[in-house]
Amino acid sequence: LDADGQRAVSEAVSEHINALDLGEGQGYDGYSLALREENRADFYGNYAGMFALGILLSIVFILAAVLIIYYKQITEGYEDRQRFRIMRQVGLSDAEVRTSIRRQVQMVFFLPIIVALVHIAFAFPALQKIMTLFEMHNTPLFIGCVAVSALVFLGFYTGVYLITARTYYHIVTSAPQS
């Protein structure tokens, strides 16, 4: 039944039980009627706050991780400026400098993502059991959500990587300020 139909059946059953007069202690004092629509509303009410909190904490932690790596790389750029200047003086071309910077920054940025994906793969059985405790048995949906989340995170992370690599390159190729 749809939501209105479920409410109508619930009211009819309640009226029928209340109309029964079986005497003191003889009636249906402890009857229970569970409706899918009411359970759905309770579920959304209980877990919507947890979902919003999860999104907020995810954004905060992602931004914290990205900013830590970004500023670590920028600091290293200022420290590496003199080394790159020396390497350019001994014949390192701009293309080789870009390749070196790209490889260095790629390793720092993408190694944590690879490790995180390996952790998710090994934690999947435990995560699946936790999801079962919440009565969520749709494994393909869970895998799809994890994959979409990983792709969104990877896209965001790649954008920050490109900005960081460009900034790092400008730092190491600019003249040091004395």
Side-chain angles (χ1 to χ4, degrees):
L1 296 174
D2 63 351
D4 293 333
Q6 288 182 33
R7 284 189 203 98
V9 168
S10 172
E11 289 172 11
V13 169
S14 294
E15 287 175 12
H16 179 71
I17 289 176
N18 290 335
L20 295 175
D21 186 17
L22 301 176
E24 185 73 28
Q26 303 284 328
Y28 295 96
D29 295 334
Y31 84 94
S32 174
L33 184 62
L35 301 176
R36 177 177 284 169
E37 278 302 313
E38 286 180 7
N39 288 340
R40 182 185 318 262
D42 288 343
F43 178 83
Y44 288 148
N46 291 333
Y47 291 108
M50 191 183 318
F51 182 67
L53 183 64
I55 289 174
L56 177 69
L57 288 176
S58 297
I59 290 170
V60 168
F61 288 133
I62 288 170
L63 286 176
V66 165
L67 289 174
I68 288 169
I69 292 174
Y70 175 81
Y71 285 115
K72 178 188 177 296
Q73 287 301 109
I74 297 306
T75 302
E76 284 184 13
Y78 284 113
E79 292 172 1
D80 291 343
R81 179 188 286 173
Q82 186 63 28
R83 285 185 280 259
F84 276 100
R85 199 171 119 226
I86 292 170
M87 288 192 296
R88 289 179 74 190
Q89 287 174 349
V90 295
L92 193 67
S93 70
D94 281 343
E96 292 168 327
V97 169
R98 283 189 189 273
T99 302
S100 173
I101 290 170
R102 188 176 63 239
R103 285 187 182 151
Q104 177 181 342
V105 175
Q106 275 178 349
M107 185 169 51
V108 170
F109 262 86
F110 293 110
L111 190 60
I113 292 176
I114 293 169
V115 171
L117 292 175
V118 170
H119 280 141
I120 289 173
F122 280 101
F124 183 76
L127 290 172
Q128 194 172 18
K129 288 179 183 175
I130 291 170
M131 297 303 282
T132 302
L133 290 174
F134 289 109
E135 296 297 325
M136 297 177 191
H137 304 284
N138 193 345
T139 303
L141 177 65
F142 177 64
I143 291 171
C145 289
V146 169
V148 167
S149 298
L151 288 174
V152 167
F153 180 72
L154 186 62
F156 178 72
Y157 219 62
T158 300
V160 174
Y161 155 74
L162 293 171
I163 292 169
T164 303
R166 186 177 58 220
T167 305
Y168 188 95
Y169 177 76
H170 287 300
I171 289 170
V172 299
T173 57
S174 66
Q177 297 168 348
S178 303

